[in-house]
Amino acid sequence: MPIRSEGRTGEADEGAAGTAGDFGGTGRGKASRPVFDWTRNDALVAIGAAVNDLIGFSLGAADDGRPVTVPALVLVVLAAPFLLARRARPVTVLCAVLALGAALNLTTPQGPHFSAAYMVALYTVTRLRSPAVTAAAAVATVPVTMISGGYGDSSVLTGLLGNTVAVVLVVGAGLVVRRWQEEADAKRTLLADRAVAEERRRIARELHDIVAHHITTMQLMAGGARANLAHDPGAAREALVTLEESGRMALREMRQLLDVLRAGEEPEQVPPAPQPGTGDLGRIISESRLAGTPTEFTVRGTARPLPPTVGLTVFRIVQEALTNARKHAVGARAHVRLTYGPDGVDVEVRDDGARAGRPAASRPGAGNGYGLIGMRERVALQGGTLETGSCDGGGFRVAARLPAGDPGGQREDRRG
């Protein structure tokens, strides 16, 4: 007889049985759980019911002045083993417990009572079976518990009223807990669905950042290599090297995202390379310069390690802003400024729009493009603020302020 040890206490683990198919009265729960597959909590409930009924029977016998016989004690205790199978066969267990109680009452006349074994068995039927089965079980329980002899009509009326109230309370408690469990399961499912949707949006943003930045850089590098191939082979060679590195990095980052998608329900594996952060800004600024966008980089304040998520957000903002500048303001000069404050970090990317051929305000998606939406979501996730828009003197500006407290002892990985 296998015993499963579970960390949950009381009746909390019944929710797992309900979600596995026991709720709703479909009958699937009967076949889904082995009869003798019981947990440590089931054993504790059965022992508690047996001890409670033994104490109650003994005290009742002492009050009535009747002897306590061995057969009577056996019938009282015999209900406990049946409770071990209450999850797999709740209706059968209730019938067995009621039959043992009736046999006890017929062999040992006693006053009206409602044992703990009755309560546990009826409660389990209420939790794991349909309302129709529960109603039938409740209606049958009251008269069966009244089977006895040796006491008068007044005791019968008192016992009938007391047992009816007990049945109503047990069934009511079971229905309330069942409704709570169903709502908790529905809420848990909803939260899981939202988490999946949020993860999909995050991966979509990551793919957009990777494709938009690296593919744009590769396109510009290929064009520059072609233009300089005849008269400046050195510049063409440098552009091709940058093109190769950008393509390799794009493949590596996309492979990391695909690994996350393949992981499914398995624990997320440590990526082969750390997520980019502020230490990688020099690399994308060098790529921006090689791609034809003169870019200045200024750091104000005392540089310090940032939490990994904040560093990644800063990196993606600069990456997306420089990519947009190369796409929509060809030939413009850009300036990246990173400012460390006492409780946060500010990042600003500005281009002058020079030789762009059209004002920054007319850029496609300048106000609501997917890249800017991704920036806003990233910044909002960190509890920061983001400002985007055209500059008074021409060009476009992206500025974000991010809170950055204690990185929790995790120093940001720096590369490049």
Coordinates of all heavy atoms in Angstrom, one line a residue, residues 295-370:
T295 N 28.7 58.9 -34.1 CA 28.0 58.8 -32.8 C 29.0 59.1 -31.7 O 30.1 58.6 -31.7 CB 27.5 57.4 -32.6 OG1 26.7 57.0 -33.7 CG2 26.7 57.3 -31.4
E296 N 28.6 60.1 -30.9 CA 29.4 60.4 -29.7 C 28.8 59.7 -28.5 O 27.6 59.5 -28.4 CB 29.4 61.9 -29.4 CG 30.0 62.7 -30.6 CD 29.9 64.2 -30.3 OE1 29.4 64.6 -29.2 OE2 30.3 65.0 -31.2
F297 N 29.7 59.4 -27.5 CA 29.2 58.6 -26.3 C 29.8 59.4 -25.1 O 31.0 59.5 -25.0 CB 29.7 57.2 -26.4 CG 29.2 56.4 -25.2 CD1 28.0 56.6 -24.6 CD2 30.1 55.4 -24.7 CE1 27.6 55.8 -23.5 CE2 29.7 54.6 -23.6 CZ 28.4 54.8 -23.0
T298 N 28.9 59.8 -24.2 CA 29.3 60.5 -23.0 C 28.7 59.8 -21.8 O 27.6 59.4 -21.8 CB 28.8 62.0 -23.1 OG1 29.3 62.6 -24.2 CG2 29.2 62.7 -21.8
V299 N 29.6 59.7 -20.8 CA 29.1 59.1 -19.5 C 29.3 60.1 -18.4 O 30.4 60.7 -18.3 CB 30.0 57.8 -19.1 CG1 29.5 57.3 -17.8 CG2 29.8 56.8 -20.2
R300 N 28.3 60.4 -17.7 CA 28.3 61.4 -16.6 C 28.1 60.6 -15.3 O 27.3 59.7 -15.2 CB 27.3 62.5 -16.7 CG 27.5 63.4 -18.0 CD 26.4 64.4 -18.0 NE 26.7 65.4 -19.2 CZ 25.9 66.4 -19.5 NH1 24.8 66.6 -18.7 NH2 26.1 67.1 -20.5
G301 N 28.7 61.1 -14.2 CA 28.6 60.5 -12.9 C 29.5 59.3 -12.8 O 30.3 59.0 -13.7
T302 N 29.5 58.7 -11.6 CA 30.4 57.6 -11.4 C 29.7 56.3 -11.8 O 28.7 55.9 -11.3 CB 30.7 57.5 -9.9 OG1 31.2 58.7 -9.4 CG2 31.6 56.3 -9.6
A303 N 30.4 55.6 -12.8 CA 29.8 54.4 -13.3 C 29.8 53.3 -12.2 O 30.8 53.2 -11.4 CB 30.6 53.9 -14.5
R304 N 28.8 52.5 -12.2 CA 28.7 51.4 -11.2 C 27.9 50.3 -11.8 O 27.2 50.5 -12.8 CB 28.0 52.0 -9.9 CG 26.5 52.3 -10.1 CD 25.9 52.8 -8.8 NE 24.5 53.0 -8.9 CZ 23.9 54.1 -9.3 NH1 24.7 55.1 -9.7 NH2 22.6 54.3 -9.4
P305 N 28.0 49.1 -11.2 CA 27.2 48.0 -11.7 C 25.7 48.2 -11.6 O 25.3 48.8 -10.5 CB 27.7 46.8 -10.9 CG 29.0 47.2 -10.3 CD 28.9 48.7 -10.1
L306 N 24.9 47.9 -12.6 CA 23.5 48.0 -12.5 C 22.9 46.6 -12.4 O 23.5 45.6 -12.8 CB 23.0 48.7 -13.8 CG 23.5 50.1 -14.0 CD1 23.0 50.6 -15.4 CD2 23.0 51.1 -12.9
P307 N 21.6 46.5 -11.9 CA 20.9 45.3 -12.0 C 20.8 44.8 -13.4 O 20.7 45.6 -14.4 CB 19.5 45.6 -11.4 CG 19.7 46.8 -10.6 CD 20.8 47.6 -11.2
P308 N 21.0 43.5 -13.7 CA 21.0 43.0 -15.1 C 19.8 43.4 -15.9 O 20.0 43.7 -17.1 CB 21.0 41.5 -14.9 CG 21.6 41.2 -13.5 CD 21.2 42.4 -12.7
T309 N 18.6 43.5 -15.3 CA 17.5 43.9 -16.1 C 17.5 45.3 -16.5 O 17.1 45.7 -17.6 CB 16.2 43.6 -15.3 OG1 16.2 44.2 -14.1 CG2 16.0 42.1 -15.1
V310 N 18.1 46.2 -15.6 CA 18.2 47.6 -15.9 C 19.3 47.8 -17.0 O 19.1 48.6 -18.0 CB 18.5 48.4 -14.7 CG1 18.8 49.9 -15.0 CG2 17.4 48.3 -13.6
G311 N 20.4 47.1 -16.9 CA 21.4 47.2 -17.9 C 21.0 46.7 -19.2 O 21.3 47.4 -20.3
L312 N 20.2 45.7 -19.3 CA 19.6 45.2 -20.6 C 18.7 46.2 -21.1 O 18.7 46.4 -22.4 CB 18.9 43.8 -20.4 CG 18.2 43.3 -21.6 CD1 19.2 43.0 -22.7 CD2 17.5 42.0 -21.2
T313 N 17.9 46.9 -20.3 CA 16.9 47.9 -20.8 C 17.7 49.0 -21.4 O 17.3 49.6 -22.5 CB 16.0 48.3 -19.7 OG1 15.3 47.2 -19.1 CG2 15.0 49.4 -20.1
V314 N 18.8 49.5 -20.7 CA 19.6 50.6 -21.3 C 20.2 50.2 -22.6 O 20.1 51.0 -23.6 CB 20.7 51.0 -20.3 CG1 21.6 52.0 -20.9 CG2 20.1 51.6 -19.0
F315 N 20.7 49.0 -22.7 CA 21.3 48.6 -23.9 C 20.3 48.5 -25.1 O 20.6 49.0 -26.2 CB 21.9 47.2 -23.7 CG 22.5 46.5 -24.9 CD1 23.8 46.8 -25.3 CD2 21.8 45.7 -25.8 CE1 24.4 46.3 -26.4 CE2 22.3 45.2 -26.9 CZ 23.6 45.4 -27.2
R316 N 19.1 48.0 -24.8 CA 18.1 47.9 -25.9 C 17.6 49.3 -26.3 O 17.3 49.5 -27.5 CB 16.9 47.0 -25.4 CG 17.3 45.6 -25.2 CD 17.8 44.9 -26.4 NE 18.1 43.5 -26.2 CZ 18.8 42.8 -27.0 NH1 19.5 43.3 -28.1 NH2 19.0 41.5 -26.8
I317 N 17.5 50.2 -25.4 CA 17.0 51.6 -25.7 C 18.0 52.2 -26.7 O 17.7 52.8 -27.7 CB 16.8 52.4 -24.5 CG1 15.6 51.9 -23.7 CG2 16.7 53.9 -24.8 CD1 15.4 52.6 -22.4
V318 N 19.3 52.1 -26.3 CA 20.4 52.7 -27.2 C 20.4 52.0 -28.5 O 20.5 52.6 -29.6 CB 21.7 52.7 -26.5 CG1 22.8 53.1 -27.4 CG2 21.7 53.5 -25.2
Q319 N 20.3 50.7 -28.5 CA 20.3 49.9 -29.7 C 19.2 50.3 -30.7 O 19.4 50.5 -31.9 CB 20.3 48.4 -29.4 CG 20.4 47.5 -30.6 CD 20.2 46.1 -30.2 OE1 19.2 45.7 -29.6 NE2 21.2 45.2 -30.5
E320 N 18.0 50.4 -30.1 CA 16.8 50.7 -31.0 C 16.9 52.1 -31.5 O 16.5 52.4 -32.6 CB 15.5 50.5 -30.1 CG 14.2 50.8 -30.9 CD 14.0 49.9 -32.0 OE1 14.5 48.8 -32.0 OE2 13.3 50.4 -33.0
A321 N 17.3 53.1 -30.6 CA 17.3 54.5 -31.0 C 18.4 54.7 -32.1 O 18.1 55.4 -33.1 CB 17.7 55.4 -29.8
L322 N 19.6 54.1 -32.0 CA 20.6 54.2 -33.1 C 20.1 53.5 -34.3 O 20.4 54.0 -35.4 CB 21.9 53.6 -32.6 CG 22.6 54.4 -31.5 CD1 23.9 53.7 -31.0 CD2 22.9 55.8 -31.9
T323 N 19.4 52.4 -34.2 CA 18.9 51.7 -35.4 C 17.9 52.6 -36.1 O 17.9 52.7 -37.4 CB 18.3 50.4 -35.0 OG1 19.3 49.5 -34.4 CG2 17.7 49.7 -36.3
N324 N 17.0 53.3 -35.4 CA 16.0 54.2 -36.0 C 16.7 55.3 -36.7 O 16.3 55.8 -37.7 CB 15.0 54.6 -35.0 CG 14.1 53.6 -34.5 OD1 13.9 52.6 -35.3 ND2 13.5 53.7 -33.4
A325 N 17.8 55.8 -36.0 CA 18.5 57.0 -36.6 C 19.1 56.6 -37.9 O 19.1 57.3 -38.9 CB 19.6 57.5 -35.6
R326 N 19.7 55.4 -38.0 CA 20.3 55.0 -39.3 C 19.3 54.7 -40.3 O 19.5 55.0 -41.5 CB 21.1 53.7 -39.0 CG 22.4 53.9 -38.2 CD 23.3 52.7 -38.4 NE 22.7 51.5 -37.8 CZ 22.9 51.0 -36.6 NH1 23.6 51.8 -35.7 NH2 22.4 49.9 -36.2
K327 N 18.1 54.3 -39.9 CA 17.1 54.0 -40.9 C 16.4 55.2 -41.4 O 16.1 55.3 -42.6 CB 16.0 53.0 -40.3 CG 16.6 51.6 -40.1 CD 15.6 50.8 -39.2 CE 14.2 50.6 -39.9 NZ 13.3 49.8 -39.1
H328 N 16.1 56.1 -40.5 CA 15.2 57.3 -40.9 C 15.9 58.6 -40.9 O 15.3 59.6 -41.3 CB 14.1 57.4 -39.8 CG 13.3 56.1 -39.7 ND1 12.7 55.5 -40.8 CD2 13.0 55.3 -38.6 CE1 12.1 54.4 -40.3 NE2 12.3 54.2 -39.0
A329 N 17.2 58.7 -40.5 CA 17.9 59.9 -40.6 C 19.3 59.6 -41.1 O 20.3 59.8 -40.4 CB 18.0 60.6 -39.3
V330 N 19.4 59.2 -42.4 CA 20.6 58.8 -43.0 C 21.6 60.0 -43.0 O 21.3 61.1 -43.4 CB 20.4 58.3 -44.4 CG1 21.7 57.8 -45.0 CG2 19.4 57.1 -44.4
G331 N 22.8 59.7 -42.5 CA 23.8 60.8 -42.4 C 23.8 61.7 -41.2 O 24.6 62.5 -41.1
A332 N 22.8 61.5 -40.4 CA 22.7 62.4 -39.2 C 23.7 62.0 -38.2 O 24.3 60.9 -38.1 CB 21.3 62.2 -38.6
R333 N 24.1 62.9 -37.3 CA 25.0 62.7 -36.2 C 24.2 62.3 -35.0 O 23.1 62.9 -34.7 CB 25.8 63.9 -35.9 CG 26.7 64.4 -37.1 CD 27.5 65.6 -36.7 NE 28.5 65.3 -35.6 CZ 29.7 64.8 -35.8 NH1 30.1 64.5 -37.1 NH2 30.5 64.6 -34.8
A334 N 24.7 61.4 -34.2 CA 24.0 61.0 -33.0 C 24.8 61.2 -31.8 O 26.1 61.2 -31.8 CB 23.6 59.5 -33.1
H335 N 24.2 61.3 -30.6 CA 24.9 61.5 -29.4 C 24.2 60.7 -28.3 O 22.9 60.8 -28.1 CB 24.8 63.0 -29.0 CG 25.7 63.3 -27.8 ND1 25.7 64.5 -27.1 CD2 26.5 62.5 -27.0 CE1 26.5 64.5 -26.1 NE2 27.0 63.2 -26.0
V336 N 24.9 59.8 -27.7 CA 24.4 58.9 -26.6 C 25.0 59.4 -25.3 O 26.2 59.6 -25.2 CB 24.8 57.5 -26.8 CG1 24.3 56.6 -25.7 CG2 24.2 57.0 -28.2
R337 N 24.1 59.7 -24.3 CA 24.6 60.2 -23.0 C 24.0 59.3 -21.9 O 22.8 59.1 -21.9 CB 24.2 61.6 -22.8 CG 24.7 62.2 -21.5 CD 24.4 63.7 -21.4 NE 23.0 64.0 -21.5 CZ 22.5 65.2 -21.7 NH1 23.3 66.3 -21.9 NH2 21.2 65.4 -21.7
L338 N 24.9 58.8 -21.1 CA 24.5 57.9 -20.0 C 24.9 58.6 -18.7 O 26.0 59.0 -18.5 CB 25.2 56.6 -20.1 CG 24.9 55.5 -19.1 CD1 23.4 55.1 -19.2 CD2 25.8 54.3 -19.2
T339 N 23.9 58.9 -17.8 CA 24.1 59.6 -16.6 C 23.7 58.8 -15.4 O 22.6 58.3 -15.3 CB 23.3 60.9 -16.6 OG1 23.5 61.7 -17.7 CG2 23.5 61.7 -15.3
Y340 N 24.7 58.6 -14.5 CA 24.5 57.8 -13.3 C 24.1 58.7 -12.2 O 24.9 59.7 -11.9 CB 25.8 57.0 -12.9 CG 26.1 55.9 -13.8 CD1 26.9 56.0 -14.9 CD2 25.6 54.6 -13.5 CE1 27.2 55.0 -15.7 CE2 25.9 53.5 -14.4 CZ 26.7 53.7 -15.5 OH 27.0 52.7 -16.3
G341 N 23.0 58.5 -11.6 CA 22.5 59.3 -10.4 C 22.6 58.5 -9.2 O 22.9 57.3 -9.2
P342 N 22.3 59.1 -8.0 CA 22.3 58.4 -6.7 C 21.4 57.2 -6.6 O 21.6 56.3 -6.0 CB 22.1 59.5 -5.7 CG 21.3 60.6 -6.4 CD 21.9 60.5 -7.8
D343 N 20.2 57.4 -7.3 CA 19.2 56.3 -7.2 C 18.7 55.8 -8.5 O 17.6 55.2 -8.6 CB 18.0 56.8 -6.3 CG 17.4 58.1 -6.9 OD1 18.0 58.6 -7.9 OD2 16.4 58.6 -6.4
G344 N 19.4 56.1 -9.6 CA 18.9 55.7 -10.9 C 19.9 56.0 -12.0 O 21.0 56.5 -11.7
V345 N 19.5 55.8 -13.2 CA 20.4 56.0 -14.3 C 19.5 56.6 -15.4 O 18.4 56.2 -15.6 CB 21.1 54.7 -14.8 CG1 20.1 53.7 -15.2 CG2 22.1 55.0 -16.0
D346 N 20.1 57.7 -16.1 CA 19.4 58.3 -17.3 C 20.1 58.0 -18.5 O 21.4 58.0 -18.6 CB 19.3 59.8 -17.1 CG 18.5 60.2 -15.9 OD1 17.8 59.3 -15.3 OD2 18.6 61.4 -15.5
V347 N 19.4 57.7 -19.6 CA 20.0 57.4 -20.9 C 19.3 58.3 -21.9 O 18.0 58.4 -21.9 CB 20.0 55.9 -21.3 CG1 18.5 55.4 -21.3 CG2 20.6 55.7 -22.6
E348 N 20.0 59.0 -22.8 CA 19.5 59.8 -23.8 C 20.2 59.6 -25.1 O 21.4 59.5 -25.2 CB 19.6 61.3 -23.4 CG 19.0 62.2 -24.5 CD 19.3 63.7 -24.1 OE1 20.5 64.1 -24.2 OE2 18.3 64.4 -23.8
V349 N 19.4 59.4 -26.2 CA 20.0 59.2 -27.5 C 19.3 60.3 -28.4 O 18.1 60.4 -28.5 CB 19.7 57.8 -28.1 CG1 20.3 57.7 -29.5 CG2 20.2 56.8 -27.1
R350 N 20.1 61.1 -29.0 CA 19.6 62.3 -29.8 C 20.4 62.3 -31.1 O 21.6 62.0 -31.2 CB 19.9 63.6 -29.0 CG 19.4 64.8 -29.7 CD 20.0 66.1 -29.1 NE 19.7 66.2 -27.7 CZ 18.7 66.9 -27.2 NH1 17.9 67.6 -28.0 NH2 18.5 67.0 -25.9
D351 N 19.6 62.5 -32.2 CA 20.2 62.7 -33.5 C 19.8 64.1 -34.0 O 18.8 64.6 -33.6 CB 19.9 61.6 -34.5 CG 18.4 61.6 -34.9 OD1 18.0 62.5 -35.7 OD2 17.7 60.7 -34.4
D352 N 20.7 64.7 -34.9 CA 20.4 66.1 -35.3 C 19.6 66.1 -36.6 O 19.2 67.2 -37.1 CB 21.7 66.9 -35.5 CG 22.6 66.2 -36.5 OD1 22.2 65.2 -37.2 OD2 23.8 66.5 -36.5
G353 N 19.3 64.9 -37.2 CA 18.5 64.9 -38.4 C 19.1 65.5 -39.6 O 18.5 65.7 -40.6
A354 N 20.4 65.8 -39.6 CA 21.1 66.4 -40.7 C 21.1 65.5 -41.9 O 21.3 64.3 -41.8 CB 22.5 66.8 -40.3
R355 N 20.9 66.1 -43.0 CA 20.9 65.4 -44.3 C 20.0 64.2 -44.3 O 20.2 63.2 -45.0 CB 22.4 64.9 -44.7 CG 23.4 66.0 -44.8 CD 24.7 65.5 -45.3 NE 25.2 64.4 -44.6 CZ 26.0 64.5 -43.5 NH1 26.2 65.8 -43.1 NH2 26.5 63.5 -42.9
A356 N 19.0 64.2 -43.5 CA 18.0 63.1 -43.4 C 17.1 63.1 -44.6 O 16.5 62.1 -44.9 CB 17.2 63.2 -42.1
G357 N 16.9 64.3 -45.2 CA 16.0 64.3 -46.4 C 14.5 64.5 -46.0 O 13.7 64.8 -46.8
R358 N 14.2 64.4 -44.7 CA 12.8 64.6 -44.2 C 12.9 64.8 -42.7 O 13.8 64.3 -42.0 CB 11.9 63.5 -44.5 CG 12.4 62.1 -44.1 CD 11.4 61.0 -44.5 NE 12.0 59.7 -44.3 CZ 11.3 58.6 -44.5 NH1 10.0 58.7 -44.8 NH2 11.9 57.4 -44.3
P359 N 12.0 65.6 -42.1 CA 12.1 65.9 -40.7 C 11.8 64.6 -39.9 O 11.1 63.7 -40.3 CB 11.0 66.9 -40.5 CG 10.0 66.7 -41.6 CD 10.9 66.3 -42.8
A360 N 12.3 64.6 -38.7 CA 12.2 63.5 -37.8 C 10.7 63.2 -37.5 O 10.3 62.0 -37.3 CB 13.0 63.7 -36.5
A361 N 9.9 64.2 -37.4 CA 8.5 64.0 -37.1 C 7.8 63.2 -38.1 O 6.7 62.6 -37.8 CB 7.8 65.4 -36.9
S362 N 8.3 63.2 -39.3 CA 7.6 62.4 -40.4 C 8.1 61.0 -40.5 O 7.8 60.3 -41.4 CB 7.8 63.1 -41.7 OG 9.1 63.2 -42.1
R363 N 9.0 60.6 -39.6 CA 9.5 59.3 -39.7 C 8.4 58.3 -39.5 O 7.5 58.4 -38.6 CB 10.6 59.0 -38.6 CG 11.8 59.9 -38.7 CD 12.7 59.6 -37.6 NE 13.9 60.4 -37.6 CZ 14.9 60.4 -36.7 NH1 14.8 59.6 -35.7 NH2 15.9 61.2 -36.8
P364 N 8.4 57.2 -40.2 CA 7.4 56.2 -40.0 C 7.5 55.6 -38.6 O 8.6 55.2 -38.2 CB 7.7 55.1 -41.0 CG 8.5 55.8 -42.1 CD 9.3 56.9 -41.4
G365 N 6.4 55.6 -37.9 CA 6.4 55.1 -36.5 C 7.1 55.9 -35.5 O 7.4 55.5 -34.4
A366 N 7.3 57.2 -35.8 CA 8.0 58.1 -34.8 C 7.2 58.2 -33.5 O 7.8 58.3 -32.5 CB 8.2 59.4 -35.4
G367 N 5.9 58.1 -33.6 CA 5.1 58.2 -32.4 C 4.6 56.9 -31.8 O 4.5 56.8 -30.6
N368 N 4.4 55.9 -32.7 CA 3.8 54.7 -32.2 C 4.4 53.4 -32.9 O 3.7 52.4 -33.0 CB 2.3 54.7 -32.4 CG 1.9 54.9 -33.8 OD1 2.7 55.1 -34.7 ND2 0.6 55.0 -34.1
G369 N 5.6 53.5 -33.3 CA 6.2 52.3 -33.9 C 6.4 51.2 -32.9 O 6.4 51.4 -31.7
Y370 N 6.6 50.0 -33.5 CA 6.7 48.8 -32.6 C 8.0 49.0 -31.7 O 8.0 48.6 -30.5 CB 6.8 47.6 -33.4 CG 6.7 46.3 -32.6 CD1 5.5 45.8 -32.2 CD2 7.9 45.7 -32.2 CE1 5.5 44.6 -31.5 CE2 7.9 44.5 -31.4 CZ 6.6 44.0 -31.1 OH 6.6 42.9 -30.3

